């Protein structure tokens, strides 16, 4: 069995899917690990480190591979070079990567999208979204501290007292909680808000103050918030405005995979912030939580500098790669079984909801239903069978006693 580690080809991607310290776990499962030359270069990992860990560094790493792992989706050229039946693991945002999905389907490649792994307890160790959000949340707080032209912590000196910076964080998922924790460690006064009911306690557990608005909470499936109505969104923005106006820095982290980010902060709200203030929008790539933010750029709105995040985990490629690589190893372990002789074999069990839920293409088909419908259209309805004489009753049925159709408890009460 062979696993190939791809060199990333997308601009700005500095992570790598496997780090040397985890090569031993894969070889321990019975795999040969082949790494494309330079795969870890941008994460400051030399080819020699992979070789010392037991991997082969080879230009022909993909040849004969059962599994190819990467961070970003493989390029069309890489996909066309794979043998039919090869399996891939990567991030694969299906709504934005429909042409890549078509390439994978046509090449007969079985593709797993890390972001489609179900959010269940058993899959937490494979959850690449959460591991990378952890990195992004830390990075957001550091960016805010670096851009703000004042101290984060309170300083009391013989020359006078410098008050702590006031930070507002919107969104208290993995990224938001890490941003809160990091800003608190740096000494800032932190207030945070999330639409989910459970978030207030999580915010307070990080030492921050929860912003509580007189609005209904919006609990959604899989730990995400459900979509709000426009009237509620307007009211939420109105109630948040004074908190944002008083903040030295605003960090927004609200996002739902595969969907546009919710607009939490309008341009008018940013224009009410004080001179020298900073806004960090982690969700810029998916539309932005802040109106006017631009992914990968710093723009000025009123008195504030607005930093738009772009592939933020890749800005810290060392820890991001290590965490993602562990996600990959855990997923590969789930795909590995023992044969009758006790030897390890690459044999994914698609009765497992983690593997079936994350699978996008298989055997020349798109098996992820929403993606298939988006690309190929909804399947045509099956024609109804023609009526035959056997389908027609000889005489009208006796009228049904309506009481027999009642639920058991209602029937008992009659």
């Amino acid at each position: 069995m062979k696993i190939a580690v791809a060199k990333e080809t997308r601009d700005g991607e500095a992570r790598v899917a496997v780090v040397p310290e985890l090569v031993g776990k894969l070889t321990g499962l019975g795999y040969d690990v082949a790494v494309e030359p330079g795969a870890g270069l941008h994460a400051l990992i030399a080819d020699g480190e992979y070789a010392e860990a037991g991997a082969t560094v080879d230009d022909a790493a993909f040849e004969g591979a059962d599994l190819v792992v990467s961070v970003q989706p493989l390029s069309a050229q890489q996909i066309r070079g794979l043998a039919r039946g090869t399996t891939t693991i990567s991030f694969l945002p299906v709504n934005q990567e429909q042409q890549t999905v078509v390439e994978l389907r046509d090449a007969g490649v079985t593709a797993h999208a890390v972001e489609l792994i179900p959010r269940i307890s058993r899959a937490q160790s494979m959850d690449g979204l959460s591991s990378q959000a952890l990195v992004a949340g830390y990075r957001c707080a550091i960016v805010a501290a670096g851009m703000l032209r004042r101290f984060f912590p309170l300083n009391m000196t013989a020359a006078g007292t410098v008050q702590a910076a006031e930070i507002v964080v919107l969104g208290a998922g993995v990224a938001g909680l890490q941003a809160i924790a990091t800003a608190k460690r740096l000494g800032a006064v932190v207030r945070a808000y999330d639409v989910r009911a459970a978030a207030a306690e999580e915010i307070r557990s990080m030492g921050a103050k929860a912003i509580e608005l007189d609005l209904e909470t919006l609990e959604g499936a899989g730990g995400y918030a459900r979509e709000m109505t426009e009237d509620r969104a307007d009211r939420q923005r109105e109630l948040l405005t004074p908190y944002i106006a008083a903040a030295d820095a605003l960090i927004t982290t609200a996002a739902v995979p595969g969907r546009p980010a919710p607009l939490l902060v309008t341009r008018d709200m940013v224009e009410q912030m004080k001179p020298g203030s900073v806004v960090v929008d982690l969700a810029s790539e998916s539309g932005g939580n802040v109106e006017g933010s631009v992914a990968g750029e710093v723009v000025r709105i009123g008195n504030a500098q607005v930093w738009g995040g772009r592939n933020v985990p890749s800005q810290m490629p060392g820890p991001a790669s290590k965490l993602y690589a562990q996600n990959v190893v855990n997923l590969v372990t789930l795909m590995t079984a023992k044969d009758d002789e006790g030897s390890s074999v690459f044999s994914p069990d698609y009765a497992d909801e983690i593997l079936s839920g994350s699978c996008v293409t298989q055997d020349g088909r798109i098996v992820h239903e929403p993606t298939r419908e988006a690309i190929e259209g909804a399947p045509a309805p099956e024609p109804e069978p023609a009526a035959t004489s056997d389908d027609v009753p000889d005489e009208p049925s006796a009228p049904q006693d309506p009481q027999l159709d009642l639920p058991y408890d209602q029937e008992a009460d009659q």
Side-chain angles (χ1 to χ4, degrees):
M1 302 185 298
K2 180 180 178 182
I3 293 178
V5 181
K7 179 180 180 180
E8 300 297 323
T9 60
R10 304 265 176 130
D11 289 341
E13 183 53 69
R15 292 169 290 178
V16 63
V18 174
V19 295
E21 62 198 87
L22 294 177
V23 168
K25 290 191 175 182
L26 295 173
T27 56
L29 289 172
Y31 290 94
D32 295 326
V33 180
V35 181
E36 286 197 301
L41 182 63
H42 295 297
L44 305 180
I45 302 171
D47 289 345
E49 294 180 60
Y50 284 107
E52 290 174 5
T56 301
V57 180
D58 189 354
D59 286 315
F62 287 9
E63 290 184 9
D66 300 283
L67 175 64
V68 177
V69 296
S70 61
V71 180
Q72 298 290 344
L74 298 177
S75 67
Q77 182 178 356
Q78 288 173 315
I79 292 169
R80 292 168 191 165
L82 298 178
R84 295 188 73 85
T86 304
T87 298
T88 65
I89 295 173
S90 71
F91 283 104
L92 181 58
V94 290
N95 291 336
Q96 293 79 40
E97 296 283 347
Q98 291 187 1
Q99 185 55 45
T100 302
V101 173
V102 170
E103 292 280 358
L104 291 162
R105 176 199 66 189
D106 295 347
V109 171
T110 297
H112 286 266
V114 172
E115 57 267 74
L116 294 180
I117 291 174
R119 302 203 71 169
I120 58 177
S121 297
R122 192 165 57 87
Q124 286 182 350
S125 66
M126 310 165 206
D127 186 354
L129 283 177
S130 292
S131 74
Q132 300 308 287
L134 180 77
V135 179
Y138 174 84
R139 176 65 177 159
C140 280
I142 297 301
V143 167
M147 293 179 64
L148 191 64
R149 296 182 178 182
R150 58 169 298 171
F151 295 145
F152 261 38
L154 170 71
N155 280 274
M156 302 178 68
T157 73
T161 299
V162 179
Q163 296 297 325
E166 296 202 9
I167 313 300
V168 169
V169 178
L170 300 184
V174 175
L177 291 173
Q178 182 62 23
I180 291 167
T182 304
K184 281 295 298 178
R185 292 188 195 105
L186 292 173
V189 174
V190 184
R191 292 178 173 84
Y193 175 73
D194 192 287
V195 298
R196 295 168 298 128
E201 186 57 38
E202 293 174 344
I203 289 167
R204 285 189 282 267
S205 73
M206 294 292 173
K209 300 176 182 179
I211 297 173
E212 297 186 8
L213 308 180
D214 187 18
L215 295 169
E216 65 169 322
T217 57
L218 298 174
E219 299 287 349
Y224 293 107
R226 59 184 169 89
E227 191 171 2
M228 70 181 77
T229 65
E230 190 55 39
D231 286 344
R232 188 198 185 285
D234 288 341
R235 179 62 175 154
Q236 177 178 292
R237 288 190 282 263
E238 179 184 349
L239 294 173
L240 284 173
T241 295
Y243 293 98
I244 292 170
D248 296 297
L250 168 66
I251 299 172
T252 64
T253 67
V256 179
R259 297 172 59 183
L263 179 63
L264 304 179
V265 181
T266 64
R267 180 180 290 269
D268 288 343
M269 294 166 71
V270 176
E271 288 176 348
Q272 295 185 45
M273 296 180 74
K274 64 186 73 171
S277 55
V278 169
V279 177
V280 175
D281 186 356
L282 181 60
S284 282
E285 281 185 296
S286 57
N289 296 145
V290 179
E291 184 180 18
S293 71
V294 180
E297 297 184 19
V298 177
V299 298
R300 180 167 288 279
I301 298 177
N303 293 313
Q305 294 185 83
V306 180
W307 184 89
R310 183 178 182 182
N311 195 1
V312 177
S314 189
Q315 297 175 19
M316 304 193 74
S321 296
K322 181 178 179 179
L323 292 170
Y324 178 69
Q326 188 63 67
N327 297 144
V328 169
V329 169
N330 292 336
L331 187 56
V332 172
T333 301
L334 183 64
M335 294 176 163
T336 307
K338 296 288 187 181
D339 62 17
D340 293 338
E341 298 178 355
S343 300
S344 296
V345 292
F346 180 68
S347 181
D349 177 6
Y350 286 98
D352 189 302
E353 63 181 313
I354 296 174
L355 300 185
S356 61
S358 62
C359 189
V360 178
T361 61
Q362 187 179 34
D363 298 331
R365 298 177 297 114
I366 300 173
V367 296
H368 183 246
E369 186 173 346
T371 305
R372 183 176 66 247
E373 291 187 3
I375 294 174
E376 300 175 351
E382 295 184 7
E384 295 183 4
T388 67
S389 59
D390 293 336
D391 298 322
V392 181
D394 294 332
E395 56 185 53
S397 301
Q400 177 71 36
D401 182 349
Q403 187 164 315
L404 297 180
D405 292 332
L406 293 172
Y408 175 77
D409 57 343
Q410 293 186 32
E411 181 181 343
D413 290 339
Q414 298 299 317

